[in-house]
Amino acid sequence: MVSVNGYYRDLDIDSYIEFLNKQGLRGIDRIAVRIALALKADFRNIILYGAPADGKSTIATYTLDYIKQQYGIDWISYNVDEATTSYNLFGGFDPSALVAGERRIHYGVITKALKEKKNVLLDELNRTDFKNISKLMGFLSAPYRLVLEESGEVFEYPKWFVLFATMNIGDEGNFSLSRAFKRRFLIIKVKYTELELKEILEPLCGKDNLLLEMCLELYKFTWQLAEEKLVLFGCGVGHLINFIKALKVFQEEISDYSIALREAVDMTVKMQLVDENDIFTLQEVEKRFEQEFFRKYRAI
């Protein structure tokens, strides 16, 4: 029988979920349990993957806050984008010092975290060219070592170190991560069941059962469009929260309910899911919204 004696083996799942709930996170218990089990089983390279606005960064942030509270290990984050290079993540000679004739080392977010005993969150990991982060391959697999050539420093993978990353469906741009690289992570998909959505949205909808019903329908309908490859992803929770806020205001300001509903859906949902430059896809998506959503609700 294999024994797991990882650094986070004693993590208390109930305490962790209670901590998340106290931060206002609802409907995430199932996802939280999977994260907790992964940490207890000594998986410490974890990607949260899913639609934009589905709370991945928030869940990762509060998970790292919980680790800080329970284990005393702080954390730092970095938003990866198209301009991210190896220098940003790992470091090298400081260019400003080189101009002055000095050789001073700049530590990137990961080397800085390792020197300061901090965990790391890399937000939207797949938004940069893989060659810029390929140095992580050796760190995340045997011999679990990162070398900063400019200084000659060798960073071993500490037993306490947790590397969280998030990836959005559809945000790959012109880049894609190596499959071998992704295998170095445990990938947890963030997506919600109807019961979880209700738990999240009911407090915002209050007694307006119709509003809650429309939110659930938008989630189901847009993910059906995603399955049909008309859009890259369906609604995220954040889109639905924005829809609720927008519709409540628009109903007060616009006398025609159908117009208020259409404006709220268009601004907070439809145009978040489809590229307005792809005119043919946009026309098809608009037609489907007319036939399958607005027809059902605009007359109410």
Side-chain angles (χ1 to χ4, degrees):
M1 192 171 179
V2 177
S3 175
V4 179
N5 296 308
Y7 194 85
Y8 299 100
R9 183 68 182 89
D10 65 345
L11 188 149
D12 185 276
I13 295 178
D14 290 337
S15 167
Y16 167 56
I17 292 176
E18 182 182 358
F19 177 86
L20 296 181
N21 291 163
K22 284 181 178 178
Q23 313 313 312
L25 300 188
R26 299 287 183 268
I28 51 84
D29 290 10
R30 175 180 54 86
I31 297 165
V33 166
R34 298 183 73 188
I35 293 171
L37 290 173
L39 290 169
K40 287 172 71 70
D42 207 30
F43 293 103
R44 289 174 289 128
N45 314 321
I46 299 173
I47 288 175
L48 300 184
Y49 173 73
D54 247 352
K56 299 179 296 299
S57 299
T58 302
I59 294 169
T61 292
Y62 284 127
T63 299
L64 290 167
D65 279 345
Y66 177 78
I67 290 173
K68 178 182 177 180
Q69 174 184 284
Q70 296 296 314
Y71 297 89
I73 301 171
D74 206 348
W75 61 280
I76 55 178
S77 66
Y78 182 84
N79 257 80
V80 177
D81 60 26
E82 291 83 354
T84 296
T85 66
S86 177
Y87 181 80
N88 302 121
L89 297 187
F90 312 112
F93 288 124
D94 186 331
S96 61
L98 287 175
V99 171
E102 302 174 11
R103 289 197 164 198
R104 185 171 63 237
I105 296 297
H106 162 82
Y107 294 98
V109 62
I110 292 176
T111 50
K112 177 181 171 66
L114 294 170
K115 287 179 74 69
E116 297 177 357
K117 194 178 179 179
K118 293 179 179 178
N119 292 320
V120 171
L121 167 60
L122 296 179
D123 231 348
E124 304 190 29
L125 180 64
N126 54 334
R127 290 190 62 198
T128 191
D129 193 331
F130 172 67
K131 69 184 180 184
N132 294 333
I133 57 177
S134 59
K135 187 180 289 190
L136 270 177
M137 284 285 284
F139 189 54
L140 302 180
S141 55
Y144 304 102
R145 188 175 297 159
L146 178 63
V147 179
L148 186 58
E149 289 88 353
E150 291 82 354
S151 67
E153 292 170 274
V154 178
F155 296 88
E156 304 285 348
Y157 197 113
K159 60 184 179 181
W160 49 264
F161 185 69
V162 175
L163 175 60
F164 262 108
T166 68
M167 293 199 321
N168 282 337
I169 297 172
D171 270 4
E172 291 83 356
N174 296 320
F175 310 119
S176 61
L177 296 180
S178 153
R179 289 186 179 180
F181 178 73
K182 286 189 284 189
R183 284 197 295 270
R184 269 62 182 177
F185 288 84
L186 189 71
I187 300 178
I188 297 176
K189 189 168 186 179
V190 176
K191 194 176 179 184
Y192 301 95
T193 66
E194 184 172 312
L195 285 176
E196 290 166 344
L197 282 175
K198 284 183 177 179
E199 186 179 347
I200 296 167
L201 300 175
E202 275 179 341
L204 300 173
C205 294
K207 297 181 180 180
D208 192 338
N209 294 328
L210 176 60
L211 181 55
L212 178 60
E213 179 189 321
M214 286 193 291
C215 287
L216 298 176
E217 180 64 27
L218 280 170
Y219 194 80
K220 178 182 177 182
F221 169 60
T222 56
W223 278 104
Q224 178 60 44
L225 294 180
E227 288 179 10
E228 296 175 20
K229 310 299 184 185
L230 280 174
V231 296
L232 289 172
F233 50 84
C235 272
V237 169
H239 298 131
L240 297 175
I241 291 173
N242 288 337
F243 165 68
I244 291 169
K245 292 191 293 187
L247 184 58
K248 285 182 175 181
V249 172
F250 293 175
Q251 280 182 276
E252 295 176 0
E253 301 294 331
I254 302 173
S255 57
D256 189 316
Y257 175 83
S258 295
I259 295 175
L261 175 61
R262 184 182 297 278
E263 290 295 328
V265 171
D266 283 359
M267 290 172 59
T268 63
V269 177
K270 186 172 66 179
M271 296 312 298
Q272 299 295 321
L273 306 183
V274 64
D275 184 350
E276 69 277 9
N277 295 314
D278 188 347
I279 189 65
F280 297 108
T281 299
L282 179 58
Q283 288 174 344
E284 180 61 27
V285 168
E286 287 182 333
K287 183 173 74 174
R288 293 287 296 276
F289 265 94
E290 288 292 338
Q291 295 173 343
E292 299 176 39
F293 184 81
F294 289 127
R295 181 175 294 176
K296 182 175 182 180
Y297 290 107
R298 67 186 172 190
I300 294 175

